[in-house]
Amino acid sequence: MAGAGISTPSGIPDFRSPGSGLYSNLQQYDLPYPEAIFELTFFFHNPKPFFALTKELYPGRYRPNITHYFLRLLHDKGLLLRLYTQNIDGLERAGIPASKLVEAHGTFASATCMVCRRSFPGEDFRADVMADRLPRCPVCTGVVKPDVVFFGEPLPERFWLHTVDFPLADLLLVLGTSLEVEPFASLSEAVRSSVPRLLINRDLVGPFVSCPRGRDVAQLGDVVGSVKRLVKLLGWMEEMQDLVQRETEKLDAWGT
Ligand code: APR
């Protein structure tokens, strides 16, 4: 289970860290309250703040960090049952196939017209977003919104894979999330009581505080340092360095 805390080392602010979190830095948008930027009623009233934020977060500007590559390594080693992420930055796609990924709060990779409901590749509207133009449906001229899940919107159908995955899991990793948003947060309690849960986060959160279990482990502090410590304990440091080097060379070649 992953949250915005795994992407802060890539330069993307999380939501709730005091001072640096997105929700502490939205004054310029004149919102009634921070979360309004992800609420449909406000979006229909004024979509500009959301698209101004989208311009900041649009995929392609940031690179995965060691945390993303650790998750990729788990997959390469056949150890990853599924990665459930709340993040919309798409950085988990660094080598984890779509079949293994659940983007529970949606994605910028696709977009939907708010009037005729037609679906489009998100890439079709990159130029509009970067030029501060409201993305418009080429068919009905309605406003097109990236398929990022707003508060009150249904989660993607793939989210319901959790009903099969979590009872099957024999280890749960929770990385870089405050576990404050439902229904995602409750997944942390959906594994069997005998299953170890490892929290890698700056601080203890959610059920790791409110109802801890006997086999919970928390590695607190910066996620990069924590992941490096875990990779070293696992004896995967060399493989990790090779992977990061290969992927970095690929991104350099693509000019990302
Ligand atoms: N190292 C370790 N922990 C970190 C780091 C870091 N470098 N950076 C941030 N964190 C921790 C924070 O301390 C916090 O506990 O990651 C967590 C991030 O929490 P949030 O900012 O609340 O992000 P997230 O849990 O992903 O938010 C969930 O809220 O607004 C909605 O849809 C939005 O998906 C988002 C959801």
Side-chain angles (χ1 to χ4, degrees), residues 2-9 13-18 21-23 35 38 85-88 105 148-149 151 175-181 184 200-205 220-224 226:
I6 72 165
S7 291
T8 55
D14 68 7
F15 293 91
R16 295 175 179 81
S17 281
L22 194 75
Y23 288 155
E35 286 82 353
F38 291 119
T85 186
Q86 300 168 93
N87 297 344
I88 55 178
H105 291 175
V148 167
V149 178
F151 289 111
L175 305 102
T177 176
S178 61
L179 288 178
E180 289 214 5
V181 173
F184 188 91
I200 294 182
N201 200 57
R202 187 169 290 134
D203 29 49
L204 276 178
V205 291
L220 304 181
D222 181 71
V223 65
V224 170
S226 299

Side-chain angles (χ1 to χ4, degrees), residues 130-143:
M130 294 308 158
D132 299 320
R133 285 191 306 267
L134 217 48
R136 290 275 177 192
C137 174
V139 178
C140 79
T141 74
V143 172

Side-chain angles (χ1 to χ4, degrees), residues 125-172:
F125 303 99
R126 175 190 290 274
D128 288 332
V129 170
M130 294 308 158
D132 299 320
R133 285 191 306 267
L134 217 48
R136 290 275 177 192
C137 174
V139 178
C140 79
T141 74
V143 172
V144 175
K145 176 178 96 48
D147 289 341
V148 167
V149 178
F150 275 34
F151 289 111
E153 280 191 304
L155 270 60
E157 271 183 35
R158 278 181 61 77
F159 176 74
W160 305 107
L161 281 170
H162 74 77
T163 56
V164 177
D165 290 341
F166 279 72
L168 275 179
D170 50 20
L171 170 66
L172 178 65

